[in-house]
Amino acid sequence: MIYLDNAASTPLHPQALEAMLPYLTGSYGNPSATYGVAREAQKAIDDARISVASLLHCRTSDIVFTSGGTESVNSALRGVAFALKKSRAGNHIVTTAVEHHAVIHTCNYLEEFGFEITYVPVDSYGCVDPDDIARAITDRTILVSMMLANNEVGTIEPVAETAKAVGQRAKALGKRIPVHTDAVQAPGMLPIDVEALGVDLLSLSGHKFRGPKGTGVLVLRRGTPFVSQTTGGGQERQRRAGTENVAGIVGQAVALRIAEEQRESNVARCIELRDNLTAAIIDALPDARLNGHPTDRLPNNVNVSLRGVRGDELVQALDRYGVAASAGAACGMLTWEPSHVLLAMGLPMPEAVGGLRLTLSTANTEAELDEFVRVLPAAVASLRTPARA
């Protein structure tokens, strides 16, 4: 298999697995208990929290361990929204037209409870203007949510600049407006510094950076209004009830540390692979269009549109050649439809329908990419019909 879908998931790092094993066997105690085997489990969580906080440049008390990016996003948006609606601070949320479905569908859910959502448009590269975010804010705005890097086209968003613009606008209105960023695609590819970004909430998902599935992080900075969305016990400082996934938390922390330690060398290698692959695709299929910003994009992301094919069918055709790729967000493939991101960028329907996302890792080789470029035209030709063309 030629694996070109690292934005969907990554293989578990061997060191992460090794770190997890003791908490799947001997140190299996419930961290909420007080005897020895339970204390071992609690210490493992405490150590993981210290490690993650140091890597993200925030307080250890800001870290909330979750089951993944979707839960982190849901908790962030719902937790702040309901906390501030209860205080009658407002009911308006500002986000962008190119967010992951975890954000968009949560906003749809909040609309059913009387919240008003503004979806700020993007330019042809999928980039949001911080001033447009600021102009969308009203005296009823209680939250802004904006991704750090787009999961489909790879465009890097100006989160720090936006957080600054939001702060200035909020100050003029005499209020505080929390800012959340979905940073799920960033670990190992971009620096993540909560303080430098200026955000109040930040979401991560462990399996995107070689951690285990079913793990995530929500950074919830001190003083941010928040109502827990999972009730029961007092775990995670009463912000996320439920017995902790000790092994998963430990593995995720190890994977995040390795991703950061190797980031510079991995980025350099992925950029080389990405740029060579982009050039080779356009050489093999001159009508291919690169989507997203040409330079301000994730180092491992190549997203192209191919007229005359449907992205989901192309993914299936490539699978028959032994290539794992995507037509967009992995969760979106379960109920396929044209990419909302490409449509928001202004692509005509034939190009939005024919989107193909390729996401690389340092495990990919030049020989693999050469083979992919060799079979891609045949896969495309097998799907193109005169009517579609």
Side-chain angles (χ1 to χ4, degrees), residues 289-362:
R289 169 199 167 111
L290 178 66
N291 298 316
H293 199 282
T295 55
D296 292 339
R297 66 187 300 126
L298 289 170
N300 68 333
N301 178 288
V302 177
N303 187 299
V304 293
S305 283
L306 299 159
R307 282 180 172 265
V309 300
R310 266 182 46 170
D312 62 328
E313 294 176 351
L314 179 56
V315 167
Q316 294 170 17
L318 288 171
D319 185 40
R320 292 191 285 273
Y321 285 98
V323 177
S326 170
C331 38
M333 290 298 292
L334 299 176
T335 53
W336 188 85
E337 59 185 21
S339 165
H340 72 285
V341 174
L342 298 182
L343 291 174
M345 291 164 54
L347 268 69
M349 185 61 73
E351 293 184 8
V353 165
L356 178 67
R357 182 185 71 177
L358 310 165
T359 43
L360 313 169
S361 78
T362 55

Side-chain angles (χ1 to χ4, degrees), residues 82-326:
F82 285 120
L84 289 176
K85 187 179 182 184
K86 184 178 180 181
S87 68
R88 299 185 179 181
N91 67 335
H92 179 232
I93 297 171
V94 178
T95 187
T96 83
V98 294
E99 298 298 308
H100 188 277
H101 284 122
V103 170
I104 291 177
H105 290 170
T106 301
C107 287
N108 296 159
Y109 168 86
L110 289 170
E111 286 180 300
E112 297 179 10
F113 291 85
F115 290 93
E116 298 176 1
I117 315 296
T118 296
Y119 298 93
V120 176
V122 297
D123 65 16
S124 60
Y125 295 135
C127 192
V128 181
D129 187 333
D131 290 336
D132 288 343
I133 297 279
R135 279 189 288 268
I137 291 172
T138 74
D139 60 357
R140 301 294 295 164
T141 303
I142 55 172
L143 177 65
V144 171
S145 184
M146 175 185 183
M147 63 191 351
L148 183 53
N150 189 268
N151 57 298
E152 291 194 27
V153 299
T155 296
I156 300 169
E157 303 291 351
V159 171
E161 295 86 342
T162 298
K164 183 177 180 180
V166 170
Q168 293 171 344
R169 178 74 174 123
K171 184 177 180 180
L173 292 170
K175 62 187 301 182
R176 178 187 176 189
I177 301 174
V179 177
H180 164 257
T181 188
D182 167 5
V184 164
Q185 293 295 332
M189 293 292 145
L190 300 174
I192 307 177
D193 185 326
V194 173
E195 189 70 32
L197 289 171
V199 296
D200 303 281
L201 307 103
L202 181 145
S203 297
L204 296 179
S205 184
H207 73 106
K208 304 295 189 179
F209 49 86
R210 303 199 68 183
K213 294 178 178 65
T215 63
V217 173
L218 170 62
V219 177
L220 177 61
R221 296 185 76 181
R222 182 184 298 177
T224 303
F226 184 80
V227 175
S228 176
Q229 297 302 293
T230 309
T231 55
Q235 294 90 348
E236 296 300 299
R237 296 175 180 257
Q238 300 185 354
R239 297 169 298 186
R240 198 264 186 181
T243 301
E244 299 92 339
N245 175 6
V246 181
I249 288 169
V250 170
Q252 177 180 228
V254 170
L256 184 62
R257 173 181 56 78
I258 295 171
E260 178 57 25
E261 289 175 349
Q262 299 178 352
R263 176 168 55 85
E264 289 190 11
S265 60
N266 286 350
V267 163
R269 177 58 176 157
C270 283
I271 289 176
E272 179 183 16
L273 292 172
R274 179 198 71 188
D275 292 349
N276 290 342
L277 178 59
T278 302
I281 290 172
I282 293 174
D283 184 58
L285 294 166
D287 61 342
R289 169 199 167 111
L290 178 66
N291 298 316
H293 199 282
T295 55
D296 292 339
R297 66 187 300 126
L298 289 170
N300 68 333
N301 178 288
V302 177
N303 187 299
V304 293
S305 283
L306 299 159
R307 282 180 172 265
V309 300
R310 266 182 46 170
D312 62 328
E313 294 176 351
L314 179 56
V315 167
Q316 294 170 17
L318 288 171
D319 185 40
R320 292 191 285 273
Y321 285 98
V323 177
S326 170

